[in-house]
Amino acid sequence: MMQELEKYLRRDRFPHMWCPGCGNGIVLGCLLRAIKKLGLEQDKTIIVGGIGCSSRAVGYLDFNTLHTTHGRALAFATGIKLARPELNVIVVTGDGDATAIGGNHFIHAARRNIDLTVVLFNNNIYGMTGGQYSPLTPANKKATTAPHGTIEPVFDVAELARAAGATFVGRSTTYHTNLLTSLIAGGIENKGFSLVEAITACPTNFGRRNKMKGGAEMLLWQRDNAVHVQKTKQMSPGELEGKIVIGLLHKKETPEYTFVYDQIIARAREESGPGTLTPLKGGESRGRTE
Ligand SMILES: Cc1ncc(C[n+]2csc(CCOP(=O)(O)OP(=O)(O)O)c2C)c(N)n1
Ligand code: SF4
C-alpha cells in the first residue's frame, strides 16, 4: 500500500484477516486511491459494510464506518444518507451480501437513485462461510452447495442495477486497477445510485474448487477474459461468450432521491404553515414535527 494512503488505514487493526492471494486488498487499495484522487475528507465520508470477507474492509478504514448485518448495508446506508445528505456514503459489499440476502435492498436503492456508491466485491462465492454458491456464481461452477456444479443461471448485476434505476454502472477487475480506481471515483462523483462491480479472486473457496490455482493465476485469468466495453462493438455474440465486459457500462441523469425528498419537505412546510415542522439545519434534521 502506498505511503500516502496510510492515513486512511487503522493500522492497529492489522494484520488483516484475508487469505494470501485474496483480491479484497486490491479493491480496497483502488477505493482509497479514488478517495484520495477526489480529496474526500475522512470526517465527511461514511463507509458501510454488510457481513462477509469483503465487508470486513470497513474495520481497516479510518473513516466513519459501520459494520452492519448480512445483506443490510444498503438499508443502513440509506438511513444515513437521508439523515445526513451532505456526507459521502460508500457501501462495500460482497456478491452474496448484495444480491442474495440483500437483493431486495439493492434493487430498491437503485430504483430510488439515492446517492450511494456501492463497491461490490464479486468473488463469485460466499467466501466467509466456506464457499456456498451465490447469485453471481457462474453456471457449472463448483461450490460447497453445488459439488457437481451450479445449475442456476447467474445474475448480470450491472444489468440488474441499470434496469432497476441506477444512474452510474461500471465494472472492472482486480487486474485492471487503474480502471477500477477511476470507476469508483466516477461513481462517487455521480449524484445518484452508483454500482461499481469489482471482479475479484477468492482463491480459497472459489479458485481451489474450480481448478483456477492461486490468486496470481486468477489475476491472469481476469486479464485474459476481460474485454473493454468499447471493443465489444466489433465482437460477435460467440466471441463475447464467457467474457467479462469492463468499463463504464451505463450513465444517465435522473433526480437524486434526497434532493427530491428535500423538495417535498419544503412543500410540506409551506402547506402546513409555520411552526409545524422543525427547520432544516444543513440537512441535520428532516421533517420531524415539533
Ligand atoms: C442473517 C445472516 N445470514 C447468514 C449469515 C452467514 N453469512 C455470513 S457472511 C455470508 C456470505 C458472505 O458472502 P459474500 O457476501 O459474497 O461475501 P464474501 O465473504 O465472499 O466477501 C453468510 C451467508 C449471517 N451472518 N447473517
Ligand atoms: S475466503 Fe476467499 S474472500 Fe475470504 S479472505 Fe479468503 S480468499 Fe478472500
Side-chain angles (χ1 to χ4, degrees):
M1 190 77 63
M2 280 164 13
Q3 244 173 353
E4 54 185 330
L5 300 180
E6 289 240 358
K7 68 170 178 172
Y8 297 130
L9 295 173
R10 293 181 181 139
R11 293 297 313 195
D12 57 321
R13 297 294 174 91
F14 282 69
H16 60 72
M17 52 76 76
W18 294 321
C19 309
C22 176
N24 288 350
I26 304 178
V27 184
L28 189 62
C30 292
L31 170 62
L32 295 182
R33 281 182 200 97
I35 286 173
K36 184 175 178 336
K37 188 169 151 188
L38 298 176
L40 302 190
E41 285 178 53
Q42 279 156 277
D43 284 345
K44 297 206 173 131
T45 302
I46 300 200
I47 308 185
V48 185
I51 295 289
C53 299
S54 41
S55 295
R56 274 288 191 103
V58 296
Y60 308 124
L61 298 175
D62 197 6
F63 295 82
N64 299 290
T65 57
L66 264 84
H67 193 200
T68 67
T69 51
H70 191 40
R72 310 295 177 224
L74 277 164
F76 283 87
T78 297
I80 293 164
K81 190 70 194 178
L82 268 173
R84 298 291 302 272
E86 76 280 14
L87 300 178
N88 311 301
V89 187
I90 298 167
V91 174
V92 293
T93 180
D95 43 300
D97 198 65
T99 67
I101 191 170
N104 208 20
H105 296 294
F106 183 82
I107 55 173
H108 293 293
R111 178 176 62 84
R112 293 185 188 111
N113 191 34
I114 186 160
D115 187 16
L116 306 173
T117 301
V118 176
V119 181
L120 195 161
F121 293 51
N122 182 7
N123 59 11
N124 309 113
I125 203 88
Y126 288 6
M128 180 165 266
T129 42
Q132 297 81 4
Y133 70 84
S134 87
L136 301 191
T137 305
N140 304 318
K141 294 294 180 189
K142 290 186 178 164
T144 51
T145 44
H148 305 289
T150 51
I151 56 166
E152 296 182 19
V154 63
F155 263 148
D156 179 336
V157 71
E159 191 55 27
L160 180 70
R162 186 202 60 75
T167 46
F168 183 103
V169 179
R171 182 190 291 123
S172 186
T173 80
T174 45
Y175 181 85
H176 304 86
T177 50
N178 287 342
L179 176 64
L180 185 53
T181 303
S182 70
L183 286 173
I184 296 173
I188 295 170
E189 280 182 315
N190 176 50
K191 199 90 193 99
F193 187 88
S194 305
L195 169 71
V196 180
E197 182 187 358
I199 307 290
T200 177
C202 170
T204 304
N205 281 314
F206 186 80
R208 192 164 48 94
R209 248 174 223 102
N210 288 290
K211 301 203 171 6
M212 294 178 85
K213 299 188 179 159
E217 288 82 1
M218 292 178 86
L219 275 175
L220 296 178
W221 182 89
Q222 292 170 12
R223 178 194 67 186
D224 298 339
N225 286 280
V227 181
H228 198 281
V229 65
Q230 278 161 3
K231 279 202 190 150
T232 59
K233 292 177 191 120
Q234 295 105 46
M235 293 172 74
S236 65
E239 288 170 320
L240 273 172
E241 186 80 36
K243 295 287 181 207
I244 305 165
V245 180
I246 57 172
L248 177 59
L249 307 177
H250 168 72
K251 185 159 169 42
K252 74 169 179 183
E253 299 282 323
T254 313
E256 192 273 328
Y257 188 73
T258 60
F259 170 77
V260 179
Y261 200 82
D262 273 346
Q263 290 181 322
I264 284 289
I265 291 171
R267 203 189 311 157
R269 185 172 291 117
E270 255 176 50
E271 285 169 8
S272 352
T276 48
L277 294 169
T278 53
L280 281 182
K281 288 183 223 136
E284 280 172 19
S285 65
R286 287 199 143 158
R288 293 197 195 103
T289 49
E290 279 173 322

